[in-house]
Structure formats: structure tokens, C-alpha cells
Amino acid sequence: AVVSTQSTGVAWAGVIAIMFLPGIFILRPPTPEEVCTQDDILGGGDSFESVELLPRAAGPDYGIKDLFRTPKFYILYLIILILSLTLLTSTELYKFIGIEAINDDKFLNLVGALGAVSNSFGRVTWGLILDRFGTRATYSVAFFIQGPLTITLHYSKWHKWGYLANLCIVSFCTGIFTCIAPACQELFGSRDISLKYALTLSAESIGCLLFFILQLGQEYLYGESVFLTLMGAPSILAAILAFFCFR
């Protein structure tokens, strides 16, 4: 039986709704024992003004206007834009890339599913690596791995298990997306961090538009190998930028 796209969408919406239902029962007013009083914060004697409730970043703490004056904002913006290109390639095009050599729709569905699992695992792993080794090492290593492997997707597809492994590693590396927030705080400080994060993350929208334009180029001007090179090669640049931008 053929399941329509609409039915699938409704089913997924139902699954997501069910996943959020437990939150309705978990949310409740705090008990008196869970409430943190002013005396607890002050520790019994310090003045309220002398207590710093939120930790400050060790580096600079830019305001929003100053954010646009620092070159590091545009460097991080470019890094995220490049990351979005690789992420879109691995999540949106894995079937279109593989279908020429792998005439097995079930296997390609498996590639997509395991790629998603790898991306989720990568988000956790890169977060742990960032906490242990810092932003510079984390971003540089992730981009140096994902760049060449994105380019070789065109060649690995002729060996389906190699294609599966290749795409899973690329998806794992794109899990570095979860490290954008701490990168923003390291470079720009904790003041107005939500707005700084939103402004920086807008690079993903520009990346989506650029991805679409380059896809049109693949259709009319150049082949798949050139397209994947355009998707993967900028990751090497991102790795170099990350090495000099972060500490």
C-alpha cells in the first residue's frame, strides 16, 4: 500500500505532539523547599549588589552595536554559512546523490536514518570535545574531516557500504552545529547572548539560499562532482578560520 505524503506528515505531527505531552504534567509551581530565597543567594551577610548571579565570559563582552564592528562576527557568520552547506548536502541530497549508483530505495532510506542518528550522536560528542579541548580544536577538526568527505560522496556512492559510512561521518561532523552558542559566548560575551546567537544563526538562512542557487548551477552549468566540491571545499577554509578565530 502507498502511504501519501499528507498522511505521513499528520502521523509525524501526532508523534511530536505525544512527545511534548509529558511536559504538561511535569510543569508545576515550585515547592517551598525548591524556592531559592535572597538569604540563600547572599550566603548570610553580603550585600545583594556585591553578588554576581551570572558568570561573565573571560573575553570581551560586546554590545549589539559593537558586534557589527568586530571582524570575528563576520568570520563566525561565514563559518556557520559554510556549515549549513554541508548540513544541507548530507540531509537533503543523500538520495539524489546515491540513486545513480544505488538502485535500492530501502538502502537509501537506511542511509538517511543512520545519517540522522550519526548527526544526533555527533552533537553530543562535539559538545563533550568542546568542553574538554576548547572551541578552536573542536571546530578545526570537524571541518577538516567533513570537507574532503563531502567532496568524495560523488565517488563513494559506487560502493554502497562505503557511501553509507561516508555520509554517516559527514553527518556526525555536522553535529558541530550544537556548538554555535558557546562559540558566540566565547567571542562576543554573555550580554544579550540570545540576540547575538540569533543574529549569528541567521547565516543558516543565507546558506539555504546559496545552496539553492548552487543547485540550479548543477542542473544547468556543471555536474555533481563540481557541486559537491563547492559544498565541501569551503569547509577547509572554515577550519583555518576557526583555528585563528577561536582560542
Short mmCIF file of all heavy atoms in Angstrom, two decimals, residues 5-36:
data_model
loop_
_atom_site.label_atom_id
_atom_site.label_comp_id
_atom_site.label_asym_id
_atom_site.label_seq_id
_atom_site.Cartn_x
_atom_site.Cartn_y
_atom_site.Cartn_z
N THR A 5 2.02 11.48 1.25
CA THR A 5 2.87 12.42 1.99
C THR A 5 2.08 13.12 3.08
O THR A 5 2.57 13.36 4.18
CB THR A 5 3.46 13.46 1.02
OG1 THR A 5 4.16 12.78 -0.02
CG2 THR A 5 4.40 14.40 1.75
N GLN A 6 0.80 13.45 2.76
CA GLN A 6 -0.02 14.13 3.75
C GLN A 6 -0.23 13.26 4.99
O GLN A 6 -0.17 13.73 6.12
CB GLN A 6 -1.38 14.51 3.15
CG GLN A 6 -1.29 15.58 2.08
CD GLN A 6 -1.01 15.01 0.70
OE1 GLN A 6 -0.66 13.84 0.58
NE2 GLN A 6 -1.15 15.83 -0.33
N SER A 7 -0.51 11.97 4.76
CA SER A 7 -0.73 11.06 5.89
C SER A 7 0.54 10.92 6.73
O SER A 7 0.48 10.89 7.96
CB SER A 7 -1.16 9.68 5.37
OG SER A 7 -2.35 9.78 4.63
N THR A 8 1.67 10.87 6.05
CA THR A 8 2.93 10.77 6.78
C THR A 8 3.17 12.01 7.62
O THR A 8 3.60 11.93 8.78
CB THR A 8 4.10 10.59 5.78
OG1 THR A 8 3.85 9.46 4.96
CG2 THR A 8 5.41 10.40 6.53
N GLY A 9 2.89 13.19 7.05
CA GLY A 9 3.05 14.44 7.80
C GLY A 9 2.16 14.49 9.03
O GLY A 9 2.59 14.91 10.11
N VAL A 10 0.90 14.06 8.87
CA VAL A 10 -0.03 14.05 10.01
C VAL A 10 0.46 13.09 11.08
O VAL A 10 0.40 13.37 12.28
CB VAL A 10 -1.45 13.68 9.53
CG1 VAL A 10 -2.37 13.44 10.73
CG2 VAL A 10 -2.01 14.77 8.65
N ALA A 11 0.98 11.94 10.64
CA ALA A 11 1.48 10.95 11.60
C ALA A 11 2.65 11.50 12.40
O ALA A 11 2.72 11.36 13.63
CB ALA A 11 1.88 9.67 10.87
N TRP A 12 3.59 12.15 11.71
CA TRP A 12 4.75 12.73 12.40
C TRP A 12 4.32 13.84 13.35
O TRP A 12 4.86 13.99 14.45
CB TRP A 12 5.75 13.27 11.39
CG TRP A 12 6.75 12.24 10.95
CD1 TRP A 12 6.89 11.69 9.71
CD2 TRP A 12 7.72 11.59 11.77
NE1 TRP A 12 7.89 10.75 9.69
CE2 TRP A 12 8.43 10.67 10.94
CE3 TRP A 12 8.08 11.70 13.11
CZ2 TRP A 12 9.45 9.88 11.41
CZ3 TRP A 12 9.12 10.90 13.58
CH2 TRP A 12 9.79 10.00 12.75
N ALA A 13 3.34 14.64 12.93
CA ALA A 13 2.83 15.70 13.82
C ALA A 13 2.25 15.10 15.09
O ALA A 13 2.44 15.62 16.19
CB ALA A 13 1.78 16.54 13.09
N GLY A 14 1.54 13.97 14.93
CA GLY A 14 0.99 13.30 16.10
C GLY A 14 2.06 12.77 17.02
O GLY A 14 1.97 12.88 18.25
N VAL A 15 3.12 12.19 16.43
CA VAL A 15 4.24 11.67 17.24
C VAL A 15 4.91 12.79 18.03
O VAL A 15 5.19 12.66 19.23
CB VAL A 15 5.27 10.96 16.33
CG1 VAL A 15 6.53 10.62 17.12
CG2 VAL A 15 4.67 9.69 15.74
N ILE A 16 5.15 13.92 17.35
CA ILE A 16 5.80 15.06 18.02
C ILE A 16 4.92 15.60 19.14
O ILE A 16 5.39 15.94 20.23
CB ILE A 16 6.13 16.16 17.00
CG1 ILE A 16 7.19 15.65 16.02
CG2 ILE A 16 6.62 17.43 17.69
CD1 ILE A 16 7.46 16.58 14.86
N ALA A 17 3.60 15.67 18.89
CA ALA A 17 2.68 16.15 19.92
C ALA A 17 2.71 15.25 21.15
O ALA A 17 2.72 15.71 22.30
CB ALA A 17 1.27 16.24 19.36
N ILE A 18 2.73 13.94 20.91
CA ILE A 18 2.78 12.99 22.02
C ILE A 18 4.07 13.15 22.81
O ILE A 18 4.09 13.04 24.04
CB ILE A 18 2.62 11.55 21.49
CG1 ILE A 18 1.21 11.35 20.92
CG2 ILE A 18 2.92 10.53 22.57
CD1 ILE A 18 1.02 10.03 20.21
N MET A 19 5.17 13.43 22.10
CA MET A 19 6.46 13.61 22.78
C MET A 19 6.44 14.81 23.73
O MET A 19 7.09 14.81 24.77
CB MET A 19 7.58 13.80 21.75
CG MET A 19 7.89 12.55 20.95
SD MET A 19 9.00 12.87 19.56
CE MET A 19 10.45 13.45 20.42
N PHE A 20 5.64 15.83 23.39
CA PHE A 20 5.59 17.03 24.22
C PHE A 20 4.56 16.94 25.34
O PHE A 20 4.58 17.76 26.27
CB PHE A 20 5.30 18.27 23.37
CG PHE A 20 6.49 18.80 22.64
CD1 PHE A 20 6.72 18.46 21.32
CD2 PHE A 20 7.40 19.63 23.28
CE1 PHE A 20 7.83 18.94 20.65
CE2 PHE A 20 8.52 20.11 22.61
CZ PHE A 20 8.73 19.77 21.29
N LEU A 21 3.67 15.95 25.28
CA LEU A 21 2.62 15.84 26.29
C LEU A 21 3.15 15.69 27.71
O LEU A 21 2.59 16.28 28.65
CB LEU A 21 1.69 14.68 25.95
CG LEU A 21 0.60 14.97 24.92
CD1 LEU A 21 -0.20 13.72 24.64
CD2 LEU A 21 -0.32 16.09 25.41
N PRO A 22 4.23 14.89 27.94
CA PRO A 22 4.72 14.76 29.33
C PRO A 22 5.07 16.09 29.98
O PRO A 22 4.97 16.23 31.19
CB PRO A 22 5.95 13.86 29.18
CG PRO A 22 5.70 13.07 27.94
CD PRO A 22 4.96 13.99 27.04
N GLY A 23 5.47 17.08 29.17
CA GLY A 23 5.81 18.38 29.75
C GLY A 23 4.65 19.04 30.45
O GLY A 23 4.84 19.81 31.42
N ILE A 24 3.42 18.76 29.99
CA ILE A 24 2.24 19.35 30.62
C ILE A 24 2.12 18.90 32.06
O ILE A 24 1.73 19.66 32.95
CB ILE A 24 0.97 18.98 29.83
CG1 ILE A 24 1.07 19.53 28.41
CG2 ILE A 24 -0.29 19.49 30.53
CD1 ILE A 24 -0.08 19.13 27.52
N PHE A 25 2.48 17.64 32.31
CA PHE A 25 2.35 17.09 33.66
C PHE A 25 3.58 17.36 34.51
O PHE A 25 3.52 17.36 35.73
CB PHE A 25 2.09 15.57 33.57
CG PHE A 25 0.89 15.23 32.74
CD1 PHE A 25 1.04 14.83 31.42
CD2 PHE A 25 -0.39 15.34 33.25
CE1 PHE A 25 -0.06 14.52 30.64
CE2 PHE A 25 -1.51 15.03 32.48
CZ PHE A 25 -1.34 14.62 31.17
N ILE A 26 4.72 17.60 33.84
CA ILE A 26 5.95 17.87 34.59
C ILE A 26 5.95 19.30 35.12
O ILE A 26 6.40 19.57 36.23
CB ILE A 26 7.18 17.62 33.69
CG1 ILE A 26 7.29 16.13 33.36
CG2 ILE A 26 8.45 18.10 34.38
CD1 ILE A 26 8.36 15.81 32.35
N LEU A 27 5.43 20.26 34.31
CA LEU A 27 5.41 21.65 34.73
C LEU A 27 4.48 21.84 35.91
O LEU A 27 3.32 21.42 35.89
CB LEU A 27 4.96 22.54 33.56
CG LEU A 27 5.93 22.67 32.39
CD1 LEU A 27 5.30 23.47 31.27
CD2 LEU A 27 7.22 23.32 32.85
N ARG A 28 4.95 22.45 36.95
CA ARG A 28 4.18 22.70 38.15
C ARG A 28 4.84 23.81 38.93
O ARG A 28 6.03 24.08 38.75
CB ARG A 28 4.09 21.45 39.01
CG ARG A 28 5.47 20.91 39.40
CD ARG A 28 5.38 19.73 40.33
NE ARG A 28 6.70 19.18 40.61
CZ ARG A 28 7.58 19.70 41.45
NH1 ARG A 28 7.28 20.82 42.10
NH2 ARG A 28 8.75 19.13 41.65
N PRO A 29 4.12 24.49 39.81
CA PRO A 29 4.76 25.51 40.64
C PRO A 29 5.79 24.87 41.56
O PRO A 29 5.63 23.73 42.00
CB PRO A 29 3.58 26.09 41.44
CG PRO A 29 2.35 25.69 40.69
CD PRO A 29 2.68 24.38 40.04
N PRO A 30 6.88 25.58 41.87
CA PRO A 30 7.90 25.01 42.76
C PRO A 30 7.38 24.90 44.19
O PRO A 30 6.56 25.70 44.63
CB PRO A 30 9.05 26.02 42.66
CG PRO A 30 8.38 27.31 42.28
CD PRO A 30 7.23 26.92 41.41
N THR A 31 7.86 23.90 44.89
CA THR A 31 7.52 23.76 46.30
C THR A 31 8.36 24.74 47.12
O THR A 31 9.38 25.24 46.65
CB THR A 31 7.82 22.32 46.78
OG1 THR A 31 9.23 22.09 46.64
CG2 THR A 31 7.06 21.31 45.94
N PRO A 32 7.93 25.05 48.35
CA PRO A 32 8.73 25.98 49.18
C PRO A 32 10.17 25.55 49.36
O PRO A 32 11.07 26.39 49.45
CB PRO A 32 7.96 25.98 50.52
CG PRO A 32 6.55 25.62 50.14
CD PRO A 32 6.67 24.66 49.00
N GLU A 33 10.42 24.24 49.38
CA GLU A 33 11.79 23.76 49.57
C GLU A 33 12.64 24.03 48.33
O GLU A 33 13.87 24.11 48.41
CB GLU A 33 11.79 22.25 49.86
CG GLU A 33 11.20 21.87 51.22
CD GLU A 33 9.67 21.88 51.19
OE1 GLU A 33 9.10 21.95 50.07
OE2 GLU A 33 9.07 21.83 52.29
N GLU A 34 12.01 24.17 47.17
CA GLU A 34 12.76 24.37 45.93
C GLU A 34 13.00 25.84 45.61
O GLU A 34 13.78 26.16 44.71
CB GLU A 34 12.00 23.73 44.75
CG GLU A 34 11.89 22.22 44.86
CD GLU A 34 10.97 21.64 43.80
OE1 GLU A 34 10.06 22.36 43.33
OE2 GLU A 34 11.16 20.47 43.44
N VAL A 35 12.34 26.72 46.32
CA VAL A 35 12.49 28.15 46.06
C VAL A 35 13.79 28.65 46.65
O VAL A 35 14.10 28.40 47.82
CB VAL A 35 11.29 28.94 46.64
CG1 VAL A 35 11.52 30.44 46.46
CG2 VAL A 35 10.01 28.50 45.96
N CYS A 36 14.58 29.37 45.85
CA CYS A 36 15.84 29.95 46.31
C CYS A 36 15.57 31.35 46.84
O CYS A 36 15.15 32.24 46.08
CB CYS A 36 16.84 30.00 45.15
SG CYS A 36 18.46 30.61 45.61
#
